[in-house]
Amino acid sequence: MESLFRCPVCGAPLTRETHVYRCPNRHSYDIAREGYTYLLPPNQKHSAAPGDDRGMAAARRDFLSKGYYRPLLNTLCCQILSHSGDSPVILDAGCGEGYYTAGIYQALTAAGKTPRMAGTDISKAILRSAARRAHGVEWAVASSFHLPVADGTADILLDCFSPLALEEFRRVLKPGGRFLYVVPGPTTSGS
């Protein structure tokens, strides 16, 4: 099956096989038993283990499981459902443990749509958790500033509480595509 991902070495399309992604130039990337692959070249790493560690991944997963951010997930699902066709291509850059990615995927499939989705994050530890959430999503360790995705691929790009890589996001969005950017803002108090 052709993947949404591209080879981070040569840029060629990747084909997903049972346990590996391969490009026509014979570069291959193993798929971990959890279901993610590692597409972060050494020259894009700024530390030995970039991103959140296992403890942070577990803490985030536990916090999100309590439902505090369910209203945000519901809002994202409504926005994406109303702005997507029958087979949208959606990329979640900086997807973390996959809470939003998996929730959106489930909402789209429940609505009878057939999304092609991918989630990327720079943390290997956190992608382990993400890949367990939704098996119909492609997951890869990758930098948001060097996404292993072809130009003009995504109908919708989601960046939820992750670094803003605007030039890269413009590159991977289709013309007329939607960019959903979630960041914390000032609180307001009502009287």
Side-chain angles (χ1 to χ4, degrees), residues 12-143:
L14 289 175
T15 300
R16 184 177 179 153
E17 299 173 8
T18 305
H19 301 289
V20 69
Y21 283 92
R22 290 187 204 283
C23 82
N25 296 316
R26 298 186 183 176
H27 300 117
S28 64
Y29 306 90
D30 292 337
I31 299 171
R33 73 173 171 261
E34 294 88 354
Y36 70 92
T37 193
Y38 198 90
L39 299 177
L40 182 66
N43 65 343
Q44 293 177 16
K45 289 172 64 170
H46 299 293
S47 69
D52 294 339
D53 62 21
R54 276 191 176 152
M56 187 61 184
R60 188 183 294 174
R61 184 186 61 242
D62 293 345
F63 175 79
L64 287 169
S65 72
K66 293 183 167 89
Y68 301 121
Y69 279 73
R70 187 73 190 175
L72 174 58
L73 175 58
N74 291 341
T75 299
L76 289 170
C77 289
C78 288
Q79 286 290 312
I80 290 172
L81 280 165
S82 69
H83 294 292
S84 63
D86 290 337
S87 302
V89 175
I90 300 171
L91 176 63
D92 187 354
C95 67
E97 75 310 311
Y99 175 76
Y100 302 104
T101 323
I104 291 164
Y105 181 79
Q106 291 162 0
L108 288 166
T109 56
K113 298 186 184 225
T114 54
R116 289 186 66 204
M117 287 188 71
T120 62
D121 199 279
I122 201 161
S123 169
K124 180 177 165 181
I126 214 153
L127 256 291
R128 284 186 178 123
S129 190
R132 291 183 187 118
R133 285 188 178 268
H135 298 289
V137 175
E138 291 187 87
W139 305 98
V141 176
S143 168

Side-chain angles (χ1 to χ4, degrees), residues 130-187:
R132 291 183 187 118
R133 285 188 178 268
H135 298 289
V137 175
E138 291 187 87
W139 305 98
V141 176
S143 168
S144 290
F145 294 92
H146 301 283
L147 291 166
V149 177
D151 296 358
T153 296
D155 294 305
I156 297 172
L157 191 143
L158 174 64
D159 178 353
C160 199
F161 304 118
S162 292
L164 180 63
L166 203 50
E167 287 181 36
E168 187 67 351
F169 295 167
R170 281 186 184 124
R171 181 186 70 78
V172 302
L173 265 174
K174 286 181 181 173
R178 301 261 178 192
F179 173 46
L180 299 176
Y181 185 45
V182 180
V183 292
T187 59

